Structures are given as C-alpha cells and as structure tokens.
Amino acid sequence: MAAIASAAHRDAAFETEPDLAAELTDGLDRWADAFNRGWAEDDWSGRFGEERWRALCAAGLTGLVSGTAFGGLGLSAHQTARILERLGTICHDGGLGFTLASHLCSTCIPIERFGSSPLKARYLHGLATGTIVGAHAITEPDSGSDAFAMRTRMLRDGDDYVVSGEKCFVSNAPIAGLFVIYARSDPDKGALGGFSALAVERDTPGLSVGRSVRKMGLRTAPTADLHLDDVRVPAANLIGREGQGYSILDYVMKWEVLSVFAVQLGEMRRRLTTAIAYARERQQFGVAIGSFQAVSHRIADMHIRIESAANWLARVAAAVAGGGGASLETAAAKLFISEANVATALDAIRIHGGAGYMSETGIEAGLRDAVGGLIYSGTSDIQRNRIAAMLGL
Amino acid sequence: MTQSATLRDFICAEFAPDLKPGELPADLDLIDSGIIDSLGVLKLVAFLEGRFDIAIAPEELDADLYRTIDSIEALIAGKRIGSAA
C-alpha cells in the first residue's frame, strides 16, 4: 500500500501507533464502489452525493477525529492522514473527500480540542456519526486573505451572544447542521484577542444559507454564503475562551492542511498509477508511449512530486501531533502539495492526450478540483508570504 | 547571553530594528504598541520552541502570554519547570 507510511522520513510516533488505522485503511477498499457510485454525473451537474456521504458515515470516516466517548475513533493526526490518503486513492469524487475533510476540520477538531464538556456532549456524537454535517464560516466579502479584517460581530447580551454579518464561500454550508462562526468579539482588539469562535446551529433564527454557488471544480462539494441577522446563540456555545479565535483558527488550519491535502496526496498516487498503466499500454509509432522520454520523464516528475508531498505532509502530521507551532512547515506543505496536485493533474491529462481532455474519462476533473487548492486554506501567495516571514524577511 | 538578552535581541532584530535591545522595557506591551502582530506571534513561537527547546500548545497561542518580555519569560520558565517535574 502506498501511503504516507512509505515516505522516507517517517517519525517514530507514526511507526509505533496501534494498527487500528492500518485496519481501517485497508478495509476502505471494499467501500470503493459505494464512494464512487454516480460521482461523474453528480460532478457534471454539481450535485452533492448524499448516498456517497452515507457510505462515508457507515465506513466510520466522519468519526476519525472525535473522541471514543462520543462515538468517534479518536485517531491521531498521523492515523487520520493515512486514512484520508487512502480515501483519496480509491475515491474519484474529489468533492466528497473535500466535504469530509471540511467536516472534520471545521467543527470536530475545534470542539474536540477547545470545546467545553457540555459542548462536546451536545454535538460530537452527531458529528462523529455524520448525522450532523459540520462547516465553518471565516471568509467574508471584504476579508479573504486578510482573514482578520472580518466584520461579522458577536456581542454578549445576557446569557447569549448576538451575531451579525455576512460570510461567503462556506464549504458544506448547503448541507451543514452546525457552523463554527468566527467573529469579532472585541472591536478594540486585533487578530490577537479580538476574535472568537462560536458553534451555531443551522436552524437558529436569523441564520440563513444562500443558494449553492457553482464552481470550476469540487462541484459535488456544496458551497454557499451565510447571512447572519442578529442571530442569538447561547454563550455556552462559545468554543474555548472569548478572544481565543485566532489560536483556534491557527490550530484548525494545521488540521485542514493535513486533512485536505492527505486526500489530495492519495488522489495524486491514483493519478500516477493510472498514468503508468496507460503509458505501458498505449501504443504509438509501434511502441508503448512510456518508452518515449517525453512521457517517462513526466511520470518521473509526478513520482518525485508525490513523494516530496508525502514528506511535507508527514512533517505537518508530526507537528500537529507534537503540539508545536510549525507555522513554516504547514505553510510549506500547503504550498507544495497544492501546486504538486495541479502539476500532476495537468501531467496526467498530457499523458492521456485527447482521452485525458474528455470528461468521460474522469481525468480532467482532477485538474479542475486541484486548482481550488491554490486558493482555499490560504492562497499560494499568502503561504509564500508566511514562509518568507518565518525565515526572517 | 542571558535568556532575557536573547529574547530582547530577537524581538528587536525581528520586529523593532529601530530599538536597542537594552532599551526595551520588560513591561512594554509588545502587542498594543504594534511591535508584534498576529504573524509576529507565530514567528516568536517558532523562535521560542527552537531556541529554548520547549513545545507550545495550541491553547497557548494566547496574546496575553506574549504581551511583554516579562510574560514571555514567565511562559518559558513555566515550561521548564513543567518539563523538569
């Protein structure tokens, strides 16, 4: 099995963890049909695959990171990454993997790590079983890369917070039952101490979800805007402490890079396997096209990108497991893997030629899905800024 | 070099090149004064982890812990006591 475990720089914790993750990883293969059934048609029409989501729930994937006390598996960062990577190799529906990773990172992770006991008791079981889909709302019309320029505000009023504002490009919003809303809780403070995270149920009066927006890729992963008009939320739904939004989001973003891009690593491995098989089989000028350096070098480059991506991801997993800052590693991993995914997706199309360009083969969808990775979770340019800053520039 | 001097040198070199390390008051609010911003805290955390061999938990990415030279030194001291226990 080609997994992160095959990376050259495995860390000791990964080697010695129990085999639960390995069992679950290997067992995923029998779900392949259920994860893929009807995805191409849904990708074309931009439809979320409820049946495929239910298969993910039945396979236990929605409970990867939630504690066992709440029906989850309580897996580590390494174990979670291994399983999500395997999902990426067997599941052609890139939107489904993205929806799952968003679900895990947006709500399960912050509530599990920072949430109060009552908050965990109230939401984690539903999130772990997938009966509640999670989403988080960060981006606003005037705050994208400059995330903490957000204007959505939450004001304490008795036992409640009252939240007002606009959020856009919220992954999972059309299907989510629970949102983690990041909002300004102290107008006099900046990113540090001025923002908080709040768990908000979908049917809370004043919260409305816009229509699903059409996207270039990840079309089966539904996305919509949120409108919050004096939404009254119990103060008990505060995640962590008031003013802790920055540290919660920083932690969530590390998990988001780990989870989303573990799926992409698996997708890249599948793409490479398919490209090698095609290059061996496809004959032109009387020989297999893999015998031409123009093709074989492209495949060699794909392999190197994938193994480099695996190494970066393993470093993020080690950092998340170790509890350290790891801002540079996370930024570098996100930048490298997202760009490697686009490059390997384009290489796969070139290797497959005309067939790769036709939607029926499913190969072009990989490129459309990959492009989003250059944008979400911090653009490539922002990651370069962060890396440079961490290097003292 | 003392821990305090190491810390002052880093903060001045990274965030306040116009200040001399010895002129940085131990109780100056580094955040409210604009010397350290949100990205600066991440750089500071990376420096503290690497230079003082400590691990800073996600919950400790809290502005108040990095607000002054004094509070940063208290954080380091607390970590060292914790790891020695």
Side-chain angles (χ1 to χ4, degrees):
Chain A
M1 182 186 69
I4 294 174
S6 70
H9 299 293
R10 288 179 285 189
D11 71 70
F14 194 12
E15 296 283 1
T16 57
E17 282 179 334
D19 254 350
L20 173 61
E23 287 174 24
L24 188 53
T25 304
D26 293 340
L28 272 189
D29 289 9
R30 70 189 172 90
W31 291 93
D33 286 346
F35 293 161
N36 289 314
R37 196 169 296 132
W39 82 268
E41 294 79 8
D42 287 345
D43 177 69
W44 194 248
S45 61
R47 175 183 171 273
F48 170 66
E50 287 184 29
E51 305 81 4
R52 293 188 299 280
W53 175 259
R54 280 197 289 271
L56 284 186
C57 299
L61 298 185
T62 46
L64 293 178
V65 299
S66 297
T68 52
F70 306 103
L73 297 168
L75 298 185
S76 69
H78 294 99
Q79 291 171 319
T80 301
R82 275 172 80 177
I83 292 165
L84 291 177
E85 180 187 340
R86 187 65 187 160
L87 175 67
T89 62
I90 64 173
C91 178
H92 293 249
D93 182 358
L96 185 66
F98 185 80
T99 294
L100 175 65
S102 298
H103 167 79
L104 296 173
C105 300
S106 61
T107 44
C108 306
I109 286 290
I111 293 174
E112 177 71 36
R113 178 83 191 204
F114 296 92
S116 65
S117 294
L119 206 58
K120 290 179 184 179
R122 182 159 190 181
Y123 296 121
L124 279 184
H125 186 269
L127 291 167
T129 56
T131 53
I132 302 174
V133 177
H136 59 188
I138 304 165
T139 302
E140 298 183 0
D142 294 320
S143 73
S145 293
D146 188 8
F148 287 96
M150 65 177 72
R151 294 177 179 169
T152 296
R153 66 186 189 279
M154 50 186 277
L155 301 174
R156 185 71 186 249
D157 183 21
D159 292 335
D160 298 328
Y161 282 102
V162 179
V163 189
S164 291
E166 302 282 342
K167 295 288 183 181
C168 57
F169 312 146
V170 179
S171 300
N172 293 359
I175 56 171
L178 186 69
F179 296 92
V180 170
I181 308 281
Y182 290 85
R184 186 181 288 272
S185 50
D186 186 338
D188 297 326
K189 291 182 178 173
L192 294 166
F195 294 84
S196 303
L198 201 56
V200 183
E201 296 180 15
R202 182 190 187 90
D203 59 2
T204 310
L207 187 155
S208 55
V209 180
R211 64 175 177 81
S212 285
V213 293
R214 295 176 64 86
K215 303 191 293 295
M216 173 184 182
L218 299 171
R219 291 174 177 171
T220 61
T223 304
D225 297 346
L226 290 189
H227 179 72
L228 301 134
D229 184 13
D230 286 341
V231 179
R232 189 167 282 273
V233 183
N237 278 26
L238 182 70
I239 301 173
R241 300 187 312 278
E242 191 171 300
Q244 207 176 7
Y246 180 80
S247 55
I248 293 171
L249 187 57
D250 183 75
Y251 184 67
V252 162
M253 280 296 139
K254 290 183 174 72
W255 270 93
E256 185 164 301
V257 168
L258 182 72
S259 304
V260 171
F261 294 96
V263 176
Q264 292 193 7
L265 178 59
E267 292 170 351
M268 285 192 278
R269 290 196 190 282
R270 168 165 45 83
R271 202 173 286 142
L272 176 63
T273 301
T274 304
I276 291 170
Y278 187 78
R280 283 177 171 157
E281 175 192 320
R282 172 74 170 166
Q283 300 272 324
Q284 288 291 277
F285 305 103
V287 294
I289 62 170
S291 65
F292 299 123
Q293 280 191 340
V295 174
S296 63
H297 284 189
R298 189 159 277 147
I299 287 175
D301 288 345
M302 290 171 77
H303 172 71
I304 290 167
R305 277 190 222 108
I306 290 166
E307 290 308 314
S308 301
N311 286 335
W312 275 114
L313 202 66
R315 289 176 69 167
V316 174
V320 169
S327 298
L328 193 152
E329 289 82 357
T330 307
K334 195 277 170 182
L335 172 64
F336 185 86
I337 301 170
S338 62
E339 299 210 343
N341 197 24
V342 172
T344 57
L346 188 54
D347 278 344
I349 292 174
R350 284 173 163 151
I351 290 165
H352 285 81
Y357 190 64
M358 299 299 129
S359 296
E360 282 71 13
T361 61
I363 294 167
E364 57 85 32
L367 180 60
R368 287 190 284 104
D369 289 349
V371 170
L374 306 177
I375 310 295
Y376 55 69
S377 306
T379 67
S380 292
D381 294 331
I382 287 294
Q383 302 305 338
R384 286 188 171 90
N385 285 350
R386 288 171 73 95
I387 293 165
M390 298 305 288
L391 294 174
L393 299 174
Chain B
M1 186 181 284
T2 64
Q3 175 181 290
S4 178
T6 303
L7 202 49
R8 288 165 187 274
D9 278 359
F10 174 77
I11 290 170
C12 287
E14 286 290 328
F15 310 117
D18 295 338
L19 292 178
K20 292 190 173 78
E23 296 173 352
L24 197 62
D27 60 351
L28 174 69
D29 192 317
L30 300 167
I31 293 171
D32 283 354
S33 64
I35 291 176
I36 297 180
D37 60 10
S38 56
L39 184 56
V41 166
L42 297 179
K43 292 172 73 172
L44 182 58
V45 165
F47 170 75
L48 296 176
E49 289 186 322
R51 181 65 180 80
F52 299 109
D53 195 25
I54 57 175
I56 293 175
E59 292 80 359
E60 294 170 323
L61 197 59
D62 183 326
D64 288 341
L65 296 176
Y66 310 95
R67 198 168 283 285
T68 64
I69 297 279
D70 283 343
S71 65
I72 298 167
E73 288 207 80
L75 172 69
I76 298 168
K79 290 281 175 188
R80 287 182 161 166
I81 290 170
S83 63

